[in-house]
Amino acid sequence: MKTVTAATNQQVHPFDQLTGDEIMLVADIVRKEKSDMNIIFNTITLQEPPKYLMMSYLGWDRTRPRIEHVEREALVVAIEKPSMRCYEAVVSLDSQTVKSWSYMPDVQPILTMDDMFEVEELVIKDPRVQAECRELGIHDMSQVFADPWAIARHVTHKGRDKRLMQALMYMRTCEDDNQYAHPLDFVPIIDVGLMKVIDIEHIRPRDSKFTRPTIPLQQHNFLPEFVGEENFRKDLKPIIIQQPQGVSFTVKGNEIDWQKWNMRISMNYREGLVIHNVSYQDGPEKRPLFYRISLSEMVVPYADPYAPHYRKHAFDVGEYGLGLCTNSLTLGCDCLGSIYYFDAVFNDHNGKPFHVPNAVCMHEEDHGILFKHTDYRNGRAHTVRSRRLVISQIVTVANYDYGLYYYFYQDGTFEYEVKATGELNTHVLAEDETPGDYGVMVAPQINAQHHQHFFTMRIDPMIDGLNNSVAQVDTHRSPFPTGHPRNEFGNGFFAKETILKDTLEGATNPNYESARFWKIINESRVHPYTRAPVGWKLVSHHQTPLFAQDDSIVGERAGFAKKALWVTPYDEKQMFAGGFYCNQSDGRDGVPVWAKERKPIDNRDIVLWFTFGITHLPRVEDFPVMPVDMCGFIMKPFNFFMANPGLDIAPTNKKMNQSVHANADKAKESSCCPGNKL
């Protein structure tokens, strides 16, 4: 296996994330400008250039002379101490000046890793927390651990004037023990501005004779030192993935070329991995497809309606930041084969950079058959195997781990996949207590609550140009009954396309009865065969309704999850489905608000907000660590090319892939694909 790390001395592109030196420069500029303020640097990140400038810079807008330089700017979100007021600044790195400085009332910025570590340390040292632990029989506070969570919206501590967090409490019986096997029954509430525990809430047993549960002490571990090497399976043989002639992609800075695809990637503190400026080389024509694709928001609502569980709905993008939670990936574990890594850099509260090496993994992998046909008359088989480019990151948000994968295929297909794993969020039951309707007992006294995962992608298309539309495609039975002259044998069905004209029509859901999918189309470019606009199909087989009530706290805050698709006119300030300031939000910002007013969305610059997800009813098999659960969506060219774009891929043969028979008795057979003549 090979590894390469992206060079740090490449010329900076307008989409490239801020370097460590740039982060320190921005912090220094702000400090000098606001020398009378005690500032926490919540966020220092790239302020992406306006789209209209980038369309010229990238060469897509040919109506005027091409722009060759775009001002490089940073967005700063700062918190002033001790008032904890929030400010936004735009800093020009070209002129090294603060271009704007604005007070942002009634908001709470994202929670950072610095916040997490400070709150956990505070909680463990708090006298009231220590007293609760002693009552449970814990006298060594080094055994106690806290998962700091966003407060969501607390019915007692209302509003956003105070920066609040809650801590879910656990213990470990030894170093590296699984803390989620030993949940505690109380939740401290923390005022982050005061750095003080202001309240402690208890999780009371419901159908029990006990007033307080005991701590389950049985160990449930999955790390190898607990499982024991002697217990590992002994019948697994190595699988080795090799590319002896090297990889098929090329990388220049953050620009990637692979199999007619061209794109750029970036990383930011919030969305993590972002894909920019995607195009496909179609013969002599380089055709634009997508300006920007990212995971805009996600929410994990839990089902238990009782306090304090009603507040358990984590917005892992908007409250914590996927970039800030990204893993440093390990060669041979997280990615296999010939691996190319990209690093990431973010800021701490002091405005200093911290680097995450190997934050993004890129590699190629075999993906089975791309296409095949056997002529049954003469036995000739033609097989072409599929290969895909994988660009991925893995994030850890408290108990959950998410693998986030962008796949590009040789036939023009694009796929996004989430692999959810990690540990179940657990809470303790009394010895005689049951989980009730809202969870399952995965081990004695350990309840795993029902919950859902919703992922909302922000898809900014430019299918053969900036002005696009969305067509909804529904398949219907013929309206004529069997025996009718127009449906004599009853087998007729047809597809009906409806172009979504405005934001109200653009808020829509799947329909199993009509096998519904959507197409992003360019009405200005008509396919010569179909006489219809060229397009790109959007479909997912992983969609589920939000089961919380519409007027619930999570229903109000995560309104984007109520529809599978929203389509809105492009607005550079509308980047995050749950609003920019998602932490402690009340739902007054976000996609449902932007889509509420009727606005035209056909044949113009638009954005799609596409939601997919999982309803997770936990199993005993998910404990103590969960096998991956996968969900995602696919986009495919739909009457976009003149034929299958993979026709020019060489046929498969064993000489190329060095396949061998597992059964030695068959080894004398000459070819794995006898019909292929290459």
Side-chain angles (χ1 to χ4, degrees), residues 305-316:
Y306 299 103
H309 306 302
Y310 73 90
R311 295 196 307 271
K312 287 169 64 175
H313 45 269
F315 291 75
D316 290 347

Side-chain angles (χ1 to χ4, degrees), residues 161-389:
D161 57 323
K162 294 181 179 179
R163 188 167 174 79
L164 301 177
M165 294 182 72
Q166 57 185 336
L168 307 186
M169 304 298 297
Y170 308 91
M171 71 164 289
R172 289 176 176 168
T173 61
C174 63
E175 187 177 6
D176 290 329
D177 183 24
N178 175 14
Q179 68 184 44
Y180 300 103
H182 317 293
L184 308 185
D185 70 337
F186 64 96
V187 179
I189 309 298
I190 301 96
D191 185 319
V192 180
L194 298 176
M195 284 306 292
K196 180 181 179 181
V197 175
I198 60 173
D199 197 4
I200 292 181
E201 300 178 357
H202 291 86
I203 305 172
R204 304 293 184 188
R206 291 198 291 268
D207 57 351
S208 170
K209 65 183 179 183
F210 299 103
T211 58
R212 191 168 191 180
T214 56
I215 303 171
L217 296 179
Q218 182 179 349
Q219 291 191 350
H220 301 276
N221 288 300
F222 58 90
L223 293 174
E225 59 266 36
F226 293 101
V227 175
E229 185 176 352
E230 69 278 5
N231 295 313
F232 291 160
R233 301 182 188 192
K234 303 299 190 294
D235 55 350
L236 283 178
K237 305 296 190 296
I239 293 178
I240 299 173
I241 300 169
Q242 297 179 330
Q243 293 182 267
Q245 298 179 24
V247 297
S248 304
F249 54 77
T250 59
V251 181
K252 183 179 179 181
N254 291 311
E255 182 181 7
I256 301 163
D257 273 299
W258 180 79
Q259 294 286 289
K260 303 184 180 182
W261 291 96
N262 177 267
M263 70 203 76
R264 296 192 71 88
I265 70 167
S266 71
M267 280 282 285
N268 66 60
Y269 76 103
R270 185 159 179 163
E271 299 155 292
L273 179 58
V274 179
I275 309 292
H276 303 267
N277 194 34
V278 181
S279 64
Y280 195 93
Q281 191 70 40
D282 183 15
E285 184 182 8
K286 186 176 183 179
R287 302 178 71 175
L289 299 177
F290 302 100
Y291 180 75
R292 193 180 192 276
I293 303 175
S294 68
L295 177 52
S296 170
E297 191 54 87
M298 59 177 289
V299 64
V300 186
Y302 283 76
D304 196 319
Y306 299 103
H309 306 302
Y310 73 90
R311 295 196 307 271
K312 287 169 64 175
H313 45 269
F315 291 75
D316 290 347
V317 178
E319 291 176 337
Y320 308 105
L322 297 183
L324 297 178
C325 298
T326 198
N327 289 193
S328 182
L329 303 177
T330 304
L331 186 65
C333 298
D334 301 306
C335 304
L336 300 183
S338 296
I339 308 302
Y340 194 105
Y341 286 114
F342 298 85
D343 299 342
V345 59
F346 309 108
N347 69 282
D348 65 14
H349 280 186
N350 295 316
K352 295 180 179 179
F354 68 89
H355 292 79
V356 181
N358 300 355
V360 175
C361 163
M362 182 170 70
H363 67 286
E364 298 171 280
E365 61 186 25
D366 180 87
H367 191 65
I369 293 175
L370 179 62
F371 58 85
K372 173 174 179 151
H373 180 65
T374 300
D375 189 327
Y376 70 88
R377 295 174 181 84
N378 61 21
R380 178 172 179 179
H382 178 59
T383 304
V384 172
R385 291 194 69 79
S386 176
R387 184 182 299 192
R388 66 184 181 186
L389 181 72

Side-chain angles (χ1 to χ4, degrees), residues 584-608:
Q584 296 178 230
S585 65
D586 59 8
R588 285 182 288 180
D589 190 19
V591 173
V593 177
W594 307 332
K596 189 174 183 180
E597 180 183 349
R598 188 185 296 271
K599 296 179 182 178
I601 57 171
D602 60 316
N603 196 27
R604 64 193 61 232
D605 190 3
I606 56 174
V607 171
L608 287 76

